[in-house]
Amino acid sequence: MNALLVDDSRLARTELRHLLQAFPEVTVVGEARHAEEARTRLRELQPDLLFLDIHMPGETGFELLASLDVAPRVIFTTAYDEYALRAFEVNALDYLLKPIQENRLAAALAKARLKQAAAVAVEAGAAGPPPAEEPAPTPLSEHDQVFVKDGERCWFVRLSDIRLFEINGSYTQIYFEQNRPLIPRTLQHLEQRLDSRVFFRANRQQIINLKWVESIEPWFSNSLKIRLRGGPEVEVSRQQSVRFREMLSL
């Protein structure tokens, strides 16, 4: 993937270029300091990927995108977290907060690779060979922030603030602060993405954040009952109670 870096800070561009050296599938083909220069570079280079700052002299990153007839895939890079919802509204691949962490950059590039592979498959048509297998979901750390949308409401929430994932019909309900949004994801999918050192599958219906555990007590048939700070209580299945003791005992 050819990438264009757009940021008014030379230091930020240099740091990002350095981070991208760890990803041989990405070639930085150019840089731009502001929106006007970026438009010229976009016409000349036609990159696959645009790393875009939001606050720049003259036009913002959003204004640049609005002026383009065709835009490459966009990953926002900014020091401000208050624009995350707007970024996803314009179909950005990801939203990276400065200083950019390598694991977050890796997750963003994994999304870009999937999008590119899907586009290639569409262009190839039915005659093209199918992919060998679906890539595994990109893992997330407890420090990552995730975009959550439920109806007309949206949140940009840090995973460490989520105390419980719980099946609710064909959706999964997320517990953080006083909010209970529903997302169209299975626990199996979430379990593959979440850090198993922090998030524990208590039973078939629930995944808990171990850092939110307030108390533990023995329960029926050698199982456990766990109370989370802010609620609720969670009954750990007998099989998972054994695993819980083994995992957290000295």
Side-chain angles (χ1 to χ4, degrees):
M1 294 177 288
N2 291 334
L4 175 67
L5 315 185
V6 181
D7 199 306
D8 62 308
S9 166
R10 182 180 61 83
L11 178 60
R13 297 195 306 272
T14 301
E15 289 179 347
L16 180 54
R17 183 184 281 270
H18 176 73
L19 284 172
L20 287 169
Q21 289 177 357
F23 303 91
E25 73 274 21
V26 179
T27 300
V28 178
V29 294
E31 300 181 6
R33 298 163 295 174
H34 45 71
E36 184 177 354
E37 189 174 27
R39 268 189 288 270
T40 301
R41 296 285 183 270
L42 286 166
R43 286 193 299 269
E44 294 172 349
L45 303 171
Q46 298 186 354
D48 307 299
L49 199 55
L50 179 63
F51 287 91
L52 182 59
D53 191 15
I54 293 178
H55 287 287
M56 298 181 292
E59 300 170 73
T60 67
F62 291 116
E63 289 171 328
L64 168 63
L65 288 181
S67 71
L68 301 176
D69 293 327
V70 179
R73 298 179 187 92
V74 177
I75 296 174
F76 280 103
T77 58
T78 177
Y80 304 91
D81 63 3
E82 61 263 34
Y83 300 102
L85 298 183
R86 186 176 175 188
F88 286 102
E89 287 172 359
V90 297
N91 296 319
L93 276 178
D94 214 328
Y95 188 93
L96 304 181
L97 290 174
K98 299 174 183 176
I100 297 171
Q101 299 177 4
E102 187 171 340
N103 67 320
R104 287 290 294 115
L105 178 60
L109 291 174
K111 295 176 187 178
R113 284 193 297 271
L114 287 175
K115 291 286 186 181
Q116 187 178 50
V120 170
V122 169
E123 290 176 4
E133 62 180 51
E134 184 178 349
T138 306
L140 298 168
S141 79
E142 63 175 309
H143 305 295
D144 285 327
Q145 290 180 289
V146 292
F147 177 69
V148 176
K149 185 176 188 299
D150 184 2
E152 298 300 316
R153 299 192 65 189
C154 299
W155 297 266
F156 197 49
V157 57
R158 196 174 300 276
L159 279 172
S160 59
D161 294 332
I162 298 176
R163 60 184 180 273
L164 176 67
F165 296 91
E166 182 175 58
I167 291 177
N168 188 329
S170 57
Y171 290 81
T172 293
Q173 192 160 29
I174 301 177
Y175 287 66
F176 62 95
E177 297 177 346
Q178 302 305 313
N179 303 301
R180 305 287 187 277
L182 295 168
I183 60 171
R185 290 287 185 270
T186 65
L187 285 191
Q188 287 78 8
H189 174 87
L190 294 172
E191 194 172 16
Q192 292 181 67
R193 300 204 67 190
L194 298 171
D195 186 346
S196 60
R197 296 168 298 181
V198 179
F199 292 93
F200 179 75
R201 183 70 175 264
N203 51 56
R204 296 180 63 184
Q205 306 291 319
Q206 297 166 311
I207 294 176
I208 62 173
N209 185 335
L210 294 173
K211 296 191 176 181
W212 281 80
V213 172
E214 182 176 70
S215 63
I216 306 169
E217 63 178 286
W219 203 237
F220 298 110
S221 301
N222 207 31
S223 64
L224 298 170
K225 178 188 280 189
I226 292 176
R227 177 185 293 276
L228 300 176
R229 286 184 285 118
E233 292 184 338
V234 173
E235 293 183 19
V236 184
S237 70
R238 185 166 58 181
Q239 180 179 349
Q240 289 301 90
S241 293
V242 173
R243 181 167 173 262
F244 183 87
R245 292 185 181 97
E246 291 176 348
M247 183 175 68
L248 298 181
S249 297
L250 290 175

